[in-house]
Amino acid sequence: MMRSLVIGSRRSGLARVQAEWVKNTLEGSSTGRSFTIAFLETSGDRWSERGEKTLPGRGIFTKELESALLRREIDIAVHSLKDLATELPEGLTLAAVSPREDARDVWVSRSFPHWEAVPAGSTVAAGSPRRVRQLQELRPDFSFCEIRGNVDTRLRKVEANPDWAGTVLAAAGLKRLGLFNRELHFSFFSFEVLLPAPGQGALGIEARAEDKEAVGLLRLLHDEGAGWEVAAERAFLRSLGGGCRSAVGAKATVERHELVLEGIVWVEALGRNYRRRIVGPAREAESLGRALAEKLLSETGSAHGGDKEIE
């Protein structure tokens, strides 16, 4: 009898839901294989739970899973793709990108149904430099404070803290966990107002590159359109030299094999965000992401841009 293939996941409630989706989808695809889930704690989970101020470095939510893959303790690793470094460890491959859940960000508040209704001088809890920098330009009258913890923990903190006007969370996590039933105000940010993290809303599913069986099975989960979108977004982030804690936002959209990519980056030396857009064939997703980054770097005096048509 063949052994079960082991799916590695973080321990958070959201990560468990995501890992169960992978397991159930694979088992429902008549693969003839069985799967089990192993839950691992990551340095990012420990940092978030302890409220430590010093970041443990890049890949804080993924490196323990990747190490377990390389040690052959697990066969598949499931990540929120926005947490996954743009450069994977040698020997690992991004075998599948899931169909994408809603990639928008959501305003969440006890008292204010929309971010535009918040009084001047109010405090917004936001743990992401990307969100803070974009919101600063929309509402320079806001003050910001740090918020950490998983999705449910952040909601409970907002519910319990009357000094906070609200916070911003990813729609995908709220939807996967069924948390829109809380007695809070929820309103969606359009992409025109707030660009999400590269890869937001998609799952990135890793395997060992040499494990042809696992890689082949995971292709059953792969969504081609989402794959092109996140390839463009991650190439944009990689070319800017950013990580998951960088003030970089990006959203690609694929329609009829054409890809539209919008990207934004905060330039500290200039004290402002730069946002641009590029259009091209979806099959050239990575080169479009690189071209958009090169254009922004050129405009901000950091590098020379290419000759793609940027709008």
Side-chain angles (χ1 to χ4, degrees), residues 50-291:
R50 295 171 188 171
E52 297 171 3
K53 293 184 178 180
T54 303
L55 285 173
R58 291 188 182 183
I60 61 175
F61 294 111
T62 60
K63 64 182 180 181
E64 282 84 358
L65 292 173
E66 292 179 323
S67 295
L69 262 179
L70 292 169
R71 293 194 303 267
R72 300 179 180 274
E73 296 170 0
I74 62 175
D75 303 292
I76 295 165
V78 182
H79 312 282
S80 292
L81 191 52
K82 65 185 178 65
D83 295 332
L84 190 62
T86 56
E87 299 288 350
L88 302 185
E90 185 176 356
L92 300 185
T93 184
L94 182 59
V97 174
S98 74
R100 202 165 191 177
E101 182 52 276
D102 194 328
R104 291 176 294 176
D105 280 318
V106 178
W107 168 256
V108 184
S109 174
R110 286 165 40 115
S111 306
F112 305 105
H114 196 277
W115 60 271
E116 290 179 311
V118 177
S122 297
T123 298
V124 173
S128 157
R130 169 187 62 82
R131 289 170 177 151
V132 170
R133 293 307 190 185
Q134 291 186 70
L135 284 171
Q136 275 181 329
E137 291 202 334
L138 294 168
R139 290 293 303 267
D141 55 307
F142 280 173
S143 296
F144 294 91
C145 68
E146 185 78 37
I147 186 171
R148 299 192 183 116
N150 60 37
V151 178
D152 190 60
T153 297
R154 295 187 189 204
L155 287 179
R156 285 190 276 107
K157 288 181 177 181
V158 170
E159 289 169 331
N161 196 327
D163 295 329
W164 291 353
T167 191
V168 182
L169 296 172
L174 293 168
K175 288 188 174 183
R176 287 180 176 133
L177 290 169
L179 294 174
F180 279 104
N181 59 357
R182 301 286 271 265
E183 292 186 2
L184 291 163
H185 296 287
F186 297 93
S187 62
F188 290 85
F189 287 93
S190 69
F191 295 132
E192 289 74 27
V193 171
L194 187 63
L195 282 177
Q200 187 162 305
L203 305 184
I205 308 166
E206 270 184 302
R208 290 181 294 278
E210 65 179 20
D211 188 345
K212 303 304 181 185
E213 182 190 18
V215 171
L217 289 172
L218 292 176
R219 295 303 294 177
L220 297 170
L221 305 177
H222 185 69
D223 183 275
E224 185 177 55
W228 280 334
E229 289 180 3
V230 302
E233 294 163 20
R234 285 166 62 79
F236 175 71
L237 178 63
R238 184 188 307 115
S239 298
L240 291 173
C244 71
R245 294 282 298 176
S246 298
V248 175
K251 179 63 179 74
T253 304
V254 172
E255 290 186 10
R256 298 180 182 177
H257 299 287
E258 181 180 79
L259 184 143
V260 179
L261 173 64
E262 292 198 63
I264 192 168
V265 59
W266 171 265
V267 181
E268 189 68 38
L270 302 176
R272 57 164 288 196
N273 287 306
Y274 282 78
R275 178 170 175 160
R276 295 292 183 268
R277 179 175 182 265
I278 191 170
V279 181
R283 64 180 178 275
E284 297 178 13
E286 290 202 20
S287 65
L288 290 169
R290 289 193 297 269

